[in-house]
Structures are given as structure tokens and as C-alpha cells.
Amino acid sequence: MKRLIILIMMLLPISVMAQSVEFKEIMTEYSTKEDCTTIHISNALFETMNVSINANDMHVISVENKELIPQFRKQMATVVAPLTVMMSVNSGDESVSIYHRSENNCIKELVIITQEEDTCVVVYITGDNLEVNHIDSLTNMF
């Protein structure tokens, strides 16, 4: 499933993104919950690692607490409600959805949601001149 996300991201023709305050609040909320992991990667790390995607931030929330997943999914539905669906893939009990918000033909927000039976992961990437066609550079960081 993770390889599918990376492949999809490499194929997307996207150039620019921005930040959501609502998502930051949700990230803060889940940062202290059991069986939840939050990751924030700033532009400084991208620059240090010489990753050329021009991102300002990347946020990841992974929820593996079965009791919290329904609530988290509802919160993410609120976050992506004003966004446009770019792609949705379903395979058995797994799914990947990609959403974006654009202004003046530039994408300002990108949200990727992966769902499995017992896990929900959201990746939220922002930037002023994000080049998603170079997103494969992120895989070399880890």
C-alpha cells in the first residue's frame, strides 16, 4: 500500500501547496493519544537532506487505535470536505484517497489518506512551490 502511495505521488503533476490550521489542531490532539503517531517534517530538514521538492512542511498522522479510528475518519472528512478528490483507489479493505485545493491553477494543499482495517494514515504536504513530481526524493530520506 505504501509503495502504491509513492507511485501515485510520483505521477501527480502538482506544483504548489498551503497549510490548514484545522489539520494542525487535529495533529496536536492525536500527538498525545495511545497508538497514534504524529510526524512533522519542516522545510529545514528537506533542505538539510538536499531533497528538492520545495515543501514547507509535511505532516503525518497514523492512528492504530481501533477505538479512535472512527472519530479520526470523521475529523479527516471535515478537513477534506472543501477539497477536490484527485484520485481514489480501493482494494479489499484498503483504500487510498488523494485530495487537493488549488488557486490560480496552483495546488495549495495535498492530503493523502490511506485506510486499512486497523490503521488510518494521513499525509498532509504544504509548500509555496511544491513539486510533487519529485516526491520520490522523500523515499531516499528514510
Side-chain angles (χ1 to χ4, degrees):
M1 181 64 83
K2 292 174 187 166
R3 289 185 183 137
L4 176 62
I5 295 169
I6 292 169
L7 176 63
I8 291 169
M9 292 297 297
M10 290 181 345
L11 299 174
L12 293 175
I14 298 172
S15 60
V16 180
M17 301 194 180
Q19 184 80 34
S20 167
V21 172
E22 184 177 10
F23 187 82
K24 282 184 172 181
E25 292 170 355
I26 294 169
M27 186 159 171
T28 300
E29 175 185 345
Y30 283 88
S31 67
T32 59
K33 295 191 183 246
E34 186 76 23
D35 296 324
C36 298
T37 303
T38 59
I39 301 168
H40 171 245
I41 300 174
S42 71
N43 184 36
L45 181 60
F46 292 130
E47 290 174 359
T48 302
M49 302 298 292
N50 201 23
V51 176
S52 63
I53 64 168
N54 299 325
N56 289 339
D57 290 293
M58 182 170 82
H59 301 275
V60 180
I61 303 174
S62 175
V63 178
E64 296 179 19
N65 182 323
K66 289 183 180 183
E67 295 174 5
L68 294 176
I69 289 174
Q71 172 190 341
F72 182 65
R73 287 180 177 163
K74 286 180 186 176
Q75 289 172 301
M76 288 301 100
T78 301
V79 168
V80 300
L83 306 180
T84 302
V85 177
M86 293 180 76
M87 177 178 227
S88 184
V89 178
N90 295 298
S91 177
D93 65 347
E94 299 177 356
S95 68
V96 178
S97 298
I98 302 174
Y99 303 86
H100 80 283
R101 179 180 64 84
S102 62
E103 293 176 11
N104 301 322
N105 295 323
C106 295
I107 295 184
K108 300 291 186 179
E109 289 178 82
L110 184 71
V111 179
I112 305 163
I113 301 175
T114 64
Q115 299 182 68
E116 297 179 30
E117 184 178 338
D118 57 353
T119 305
C120 186
V121 178
V122 175
V123 178
Y124 192 97
I125 304 173
T126 65
D128 295 324
N129 189 22
L130 183 63
E131 297 178 28
V132 179
N133 57 335
H134 295 121
I135 203 78
D136 60 324
S137 300
L138 293 175
T139 61
N140 298 325
M141 286 178 53
F142 304 104

